[in-house]
Structures are given as structure tokens and as C-alpha cells.
Amino acid sequence: QVQLVESGGGLVQAGGSLRLSCVASGRTLSTYAMGWFRQAPGKEREFVGWSRFTWSGGTTYYADSVKGRFTIARDNAKNTVYLQMNSLKPEDTAVYYCAADHLNNGGSDLATYRYWGQGTQVTVSS
């Protein structure tokens, strides 16, 4: 079993930055695909980005809405995945979730991911 715990959310003004962390316990995440998703009030959970494990260091993919502003990074020694969020906008306000796929398939489909964290709230004020 894998347990994921997100942290780092909070209230920030538009244009600001936050870094979310997702710490795993139970298994090493180094070979897992790791995804970030978010869910705004009254909306469905949506894809933000994901990181595929590769022996050369991994590859990342992002939703068009966050491309160029958000960055996913992995620290395998700490069994942690980060989501660096810059140039935040009010429409980025949501609960952010990390997810893990032990098969390293990843992608934007929520169903691909077996393990989920409890989420962390990000609020961007205008």
C-alpha cells in the first residue's frame, strides 16, 4: 500500500507562487508515474500534470491551462513529488491532489491512478 500526503497549500495573491509537496510512505515512488489533479467547487476533478518515471530522469506533461506556469519535480531520495506553481491565477483555486500509478502509465485519466492523497487547498485571490 502507498499512502500519499499533500501539503503546501494556502492563500496567495494572483501572480504569486506556491510549492505543493506530496510525500509517500509504504512504497518507494521512484518507478511510479505521479500525477497532479485539482478540483474546484462544483466542478469535476481535472488533470494538471504528470511525471513518468524513466531511467534517464523522467518526463513531464501538463494541461494547457498550466503549461509554462507549473512544474513537477521528483526527489526520489525523499520519496516526494513537488508541484511548483508560479503566476497563479484566481481560476487556479481548487483542492489539489497527487496520485500514483504503480504501472507507470500515468496520463490525464483519473482511473489510471490507484493511489490518491487527501488533497490540499489552494486559494488565489484577485
Side-chain angles (χ1 to χ4, degrees):
Q1 276 291 74
V2 174
Q3 293 79 42
L4 303 175
V5 178
E6 302 96 334
S7 63
L11 174 63
V12 63
Q13 289 189 332
S17 298
L18 282 175
R19 189 179 75 160
L20 306 184
S21 299
C22 172
V23 180
S25 61
R27 294 279 178 88
T28 178
L29 295 181
S30 60
T31 60
Y32 285 34
M34 297 298 300
W36 283 96
F37 294 80
R38 65 187 182 186
Q39 187 167 18
K43 295 187 176 182
E44 294 185 350
R45 195 169 297 189
E46 67 174 8
F47 167 73
V48 173
W50 73 283
S51 167
R52 179 194 296 275
F53 164 78
T54 69
W55 291 108
S56 60
T59 54
T60 52
Y61 307 85
Y62 302 94
D64 288 343
S65 59
V66 306
K67 200 173 295 183
R69 300 188 298 123
F70 290 12
T71 303
I72 296 172
R74 306 172 70 136
D75 186 337
N76 290 333
K78 296 182 178 180
N79 220 23
T80 300
V81 178
Y82 303 99
L83 180 65
Q84 177 67 45
M85 305 185 296
N86 299 328
S87 302
L88 282 162
K89 305 175 181 179
E91 51 263 44
D92 294 319
T93 295
V95 177
Y96 282 71
Y97 299 88
C98 69
D101 168 31
H102 64 296
L103 298 177
N104 199 31
N105 291 320
S108 60
D109 186 350
L110 280 71
T112 302
Y113 298 86
R114 173 178 290 189
Y115 305 105
W116 290 82
Q118 83 292 344
T120 185
Q121 176 70 49
V122 172
T123 303
V124 184
S125 63
S126 56

Coordinates of all heavy atoms in Angstrom, one line a residue, residues 30-69:
S30 N 9.8 5.8 -6.8 CA 10.8 6.2 -7.8 C 10.4 5.7 -9.2 O 10.8 6.3 -10.2 CB 12.2 5.7 -7.4 OG 12.2 4.3 -7.3
T31 N 9.7 4.5 -9.3 CA 9.4 4.0 -10.6 C 7.9 4.2 -10.9 O 7.4 3.6 -11.9 CB 9.7 2.5 -10.6 OG1 9.0 1.8 -9.6 CG2 11.2 2.2 -10.4
Y32 N 7.2 4.9 -10.1 CA 5.8 5.2 -10.4 C 5.6 6.4 -11.3 O 6.4 7.3 -11.2 CB 5.0 5.4 -9.1 CG 4.8 4.2 -8.2 CD1 5.7 3.2 -8.1 CD2 3.7 4.2 -7.4 CE1 5.5 2.1 -7.3 CE2 3.4 3.1 -6.5 CZ 4.3 2.1 -6.5 OH 4.1 1.0 -5.7
A33 N 4.5 6.4 -12.0 CA 4.0 7.6 -12.6 C 3.3 8.4 -11.5 O 2.5 7.9 -10.7 CB 3.1 7.4 -13.8
M34 N 3.5 9.7 -11.5 CA 2.9 10.6 -10.5 C 2.1 11.7 -11.2 O 2.6 12.4 -12.0 CB 4.0 11.2 -9.6 CG 4.8 10.2 -8.8 SD 3.7 9.2 -7.7 CE 3.1 10.5 -6.6
G35 N 0.9 11.8 -10.7 CA 0.0 12.8 -11.3 C -0.4 13.9 -10.3 O -0.4 13.6 -9.1
W36 N -0.8 15.0 -10.8 CA -1.4 16.1 -10.0 C -2.7 16.4 -10.7 O -2.8 16.6 -11.9 CB -0.5 17.3 -9.9 CG 0.6 17.2 -9.0 CD1 1.9 16.9 -9.3 CD2 0.6 17.5 -7.6 NE1 2.7 16.9 -8.2 CE2 1.9 17.2 -7.1 CE3 -0.4 17.8 -6.7 CZ2 2.3 17.4 -5.8 CZ3 0.0 18.0 -5.3 CH2 1.3 17.8 -4.9
F37 N -3.7 16.5 -9.8 CA -5.1 16.9 -10.3 C -5.6 18.0 -9.4 O -5.1 18.2 -8.3 CB -6.0 15.6 -10.3 CG -5.6 14.6 -11.2 CD1 -4.5 13.7 -10.9 CD2 -6.2 14.4 -12.4 CE1 -4.1 12.7 -11.8 CE2 -5.9 13.5 -13.3 CZ -4.8 12.6 -13.0
R38 N -6.7 18.6 -9.8 CA -7.3 19.6 -8.9 C -8.8 19.6 -9.1 O -9.3 19.1 -10.2 CB -6.8 21.0 -9.2 CG -7.1 21.5 -10.6 CD -6.4 22.8 -10.9 NE -6.7 23.4 -12.2 CZ -6.1 24.5 -12.7 NH1 -5.1 25.1 -12.0 NH2 -6.4 24.9 -13.8
Q39 N -9.5 20.0 -8.1 CA -11.0 20.1 -8.1 C -11.5 21.4 -7.5 O -11.2 21.6 -6.3 CB -11.6 18.9 -7.4 CG -13.1 18.7 -7.6 CD -13.6 17.4 -7.1 OE1 -12.9 16.6 -6.4 NE2 -14.8 17.0 -7.6
A40 N -12.1 22.2 -8.3 CA -12.7 23.4 -7.9 C -14.1 23.1 -7.4 O -14.8 22.1 -7.8 CB -12.7 24.4 -9.0
P41 N -14.7 24.0 -6.5 CA -16.0 23.8 -6.0 C -17.0 23.7 -7.2 O -17.0 24.5 -8.1 CB -16.3 25.0 -5.2 CG -15.0 25.5 -4.8 CD -14.0 25.2 -5.9
G42 N -17.9 22.6 -7.1 CA -18.9 22.4 -8.1 C -18.4 21.9 -9.5 O -19.2 21.8 -10.4
K43 N -17.1 21.6 -9.5 CA -16.6 21.1 -10.8 C -16.0 19.7 -10.6 O -15.7 19.3 -9.5 CB -15.5 22.0 -11.3 CG -16.0 23.4 -11.7 CD -14.9 24.3 -12.4 CE -15.5 25.6 -12.8 NZ -14.4 26.4 -13.5
E44 N -15.7 19.0 -11.7 CA -15.1 17.7 -11.7 C -13.6 17.9 -11.5 O -13.0 18.9 -11.8 CB -15.4 17.0 -13.0 CG -16.9 16.6 -13.2 CD -17.1 15.8 -14.5 OE1 -16.1 15.6 -15.2 OE2 -18.2 15.3 -14.7
R45 N -13.0 16.8 -11.0 CA -11.6 16.8 -10.8 C -10.9 16.8 -12.2 O -11.4 16.0 -13.1 CB -11.2 15.5 -10.0 CG -9.8 15.6 -9.5 CD -9.5 14.5 -8.5 NE -10.4 14.6 -7.3 CZ -10.3 13.8 -6.2 NH1 -9.3 12.9 -6.2 NH2 -11.1 13.9 -5.2
E46 N -9.9 17.6 -12.3 CA -9.3 17.8 -13.6 C -7.8 17.6 -13.5 O -7.2 17.8 -12.5 CB -9.6 19.1 -14.2 CG -9.0 20.3 -13.5 CD -9.2 21.6 -14.2 OE1 -9.9 21.7 -15.2 OE2 -8.6 22.6 -13.8
F47 N -7.2 17.2 -14.6 CA -5.8 16.9 -14.8 C -5.0 18.2 -14.8 O -5.4 19.2 -15.4 CB -5.6 16.2 -16.1 CG -4.2 16.1 -16.6 CD1 -3.3 15.2 -15.9 CD2 -3.7 16.8 -17.6 CE1 -2.0 15.1 -16.3 CE2 -2.4 16.7 -18.1 CZ -1.6 15.8 -17.4
V48 N -3.9 18.2 -14.0 CA -3.0 19.3 -14.0 C -1.7 18.9 -14.7 O -1.2 19.7 -15.6 CB -2.7 19.7 -12.6 CG1 -1.6 20.8 -12.5 CG2 -3.9 20.2 -11.9
G49 N -1.1 17.8 -14.3 CA 0.2 17.4 -14.9 C 0.6 16.0 -14.4 O 0.0 15.6 -13.4
W50 N 1.6 15.4 -15.0 CA 2.1 14.1 -14.5 C 3.5 13.9 -14.9 O 4.0 14.6 -15.9 CB 1.2 13.0 -15.0 CG 1.3 12.6 -16.4 CD1 0.7 13.2 -17.5 CD2 1.9 11.4 -16.9 NE1 1.0 12.5 -18.6 CE2 1.7 11.4 -18.3 CE3 2.6 10.4 -16.4 CZ2 2.2 10.4 -19.2 CZ3 3.1 9.4 -17.2 CH2 2.9 9.4 -18.6
S51 N 4.1 13.1 -14.2 CA 5.6 12.8 -14.4 C 5.7 11.3 -14.6 O 5.3 10.5 -13.8 CB 6.4 13.2 -13.2 OG 7.7 12.7 -13.2
R52 N 6.3 10.9 -15.7 CA 6.6 9.5 -16.0 C 8.0 9.1 -15.5 O 8.9 9.9 -15.8 CB 6.5 9.2 -17.5 CG 6.8 7.8 -17.8 CD 7.0 7.6 -19.3 NE 5.8 7.9 -20.1 CZ 4.8 7.1 -20.3 NH1 4.9 5.8 -19.8 NH2 3.8 7.4 -21.1
F53 N 8.1 8.0 -14.8 CA 9.5 7.6 -14.5 C 10.2 7.1 -15.7 O 9.6 6.4 -16.6 CB 9.4 6.4 -13.5 CG 10.7 5.6 -13.4 CD1 11.7 6.2 -12.6 CD2 10.8 4.4 -14.0 CE1 12.9 5.5 -12.6 CE2 12.0 3.7 -14.0 CZ 13.1 4.3 -13.2
T54 N 11.4 7.5 -15.9 CA 12.3 6.9 -16.8 C 13.7 6.8 -16.2 O 14.0 7.6 -15.3 CB 12.5 7.8 -18.1 OG1 13.2 9.0 -17.8 CG2 11.1 8.1 -18.7
W55 N 14.6 5.9 -16.7 CA 15.9 5.8 -16.1 C 16.8 7.0 -16.4 O 17.8 7.2 -15.7 CB 16.6 4.5 -16.7 CG 15.9 3.3 -16.2 CD1 15.1 2.4 -16.8 CD2 16.0 2.8 -14.8 NE1 14.7 1.4 -16.0 CE2 15.2 1.6 -14.8 CE3 16.6 3.2 -13.6 CZ2 15.0 0.9 -13.6 CZ3 16.4 2.5 -12.5 CH2 15.7 1.3 -12.5
S56 N 16.4 7.8 -17.3 CA 17.2 9.0 -17.7 C 16.7 10.2 -16.9 O 17.2 11.3 -17.1 CB 17.1 9.3 -19.2 OG 15.8 9.5 -19.6
G57 N 15.7 10.0 -16.0 CA 15.3 11.2 -15.2 C 13.9 11.5 -15.2 O 13.4 12.3 -14.4
G58 N 13.1 11.0 -16.1 CA 11.7 11.2 -16.1 C 11.3 12.3 -17.1 O 12.1 13.1 -17.6
T59 N 10.0 12.2 -17.5 CA 9.4 13.2 -18.4 C 8.2 13.7 -17.8 O 7.5 13.0 -17.0 CB 9.1 12.6 -19.8 OG1 8.3 11.4 -19.6 CG2 10.4 12.2 -20.5
T60 N 7.8 14.9 -18.1 CA 6.6 15.6 -17.5 C 5.7 16.1 -18.6 O 6.1 16.4 -19.8 CB 7.0 16.7 -16.6 OG1 7.9 17.6 -17.3 CG2 7.7 16.3 -15.4
Y61 N 4.4 16.1 -18.3 CA 3.4 16.6 -19.2 C 2.4 17.4 -18.4 O 2.2 17.2 -17.2 CB 2.6 15.4 -19.8 CG 3.6 14.3 -20.4 CD1 4.1 13.3 -19.6 CD2 3.8 14.3 -21.8 CE1 5.0 12.4 -20.1 CE2 4.7 13.4 -22.3 CZ 5.2 12.4 -21.5 OH 6.1 11.5 -22.0
Y62 N 1.8 18.4 -19.1 CA 1.0 19.4 -18.4 C -0.3 19.7 -19.2 O -0.3 19.6 -20.4 CB 1.7 20.7 -18.1 CG 3.0 20.5 -17.3 CD1 4.2 20.3 -18.0 CD2 3.0 20.5 -15.9 CE1 5.4 20.2 -17.2 CE2 4.1 20.3 -15.2 CZ 5.3 20.1 -15.8 OH 6.5 19.9 -15.1
A63 N -1.3 20.0 -18.4 CA -2.5 20.6 -19.1 C -2.2 21.9 -19.7 O -1.3 22.7 -19.2 CB -3.6 20.7 -18.0
D64 N -2.9 22.2 -20.8 CA -2.6 23.5 -21.5 C -2.8 24.7 -20.5 O -2.1 25.7 -20.6 CB -3.5 23.6 -22.7 CG -3.1 22.7 -23.8 OD1 -2.0 22.2 -23.8 OD2 -3.9 22.5 -24.7
S65 N -3.8 24.6 -19.6 CA -4.1 25.7 -18.7 C -3.0 26.0 -17.7 O -3.0 27.2 -17.2 CB -5.4 25.3 -17.9 OG -5.2 24.2 -17.2
V66 N -2.0 25.1 -17.5 CA -1.0 25.4 -16.6 C 0.4 25.4 -17.2 O 1.4 25.7 -16.5 CB -1.0 24.4 -15.4 CG1 -2.4 24.4 -14.7 CG2 -0.6 23.0 -15.8
K67 N 0.5 25.0 -18.5 CA 1.8 24.9 -19.1 C 2.5 26.2 -19.1 O 2.0 27.2 -19.4 CB 1.5 24.4 -20.6 CG 2.7 23.8 -21.2 CD 2.3 23.2 -22.6 CE 1.4 22.0 -22.4 NZ 1.0 21.4 -23.8
G68 N 3.8 26.1 -18.7 CA 4.6 27.3 -18.7 C 4.5 28.0 -17.3 O 5.4 28.8 -17.0
R69 N 3.6 27.6 -16.5 CA 3.5 28.2 -15.1 C 3.7 27.1 -14.0 O 4.3 27.5 -13.0 CB 2.0 28.7 -14.9 CG 1.7 29.8 -15.9 CD 0.4 30.5 -15.6 NE -0.7 29.6 -15.6 CZ -1.5 29.3 -14.6 NH1 -1.3 29.9 -13.4 NH2 -2.6 28.5 -14.7

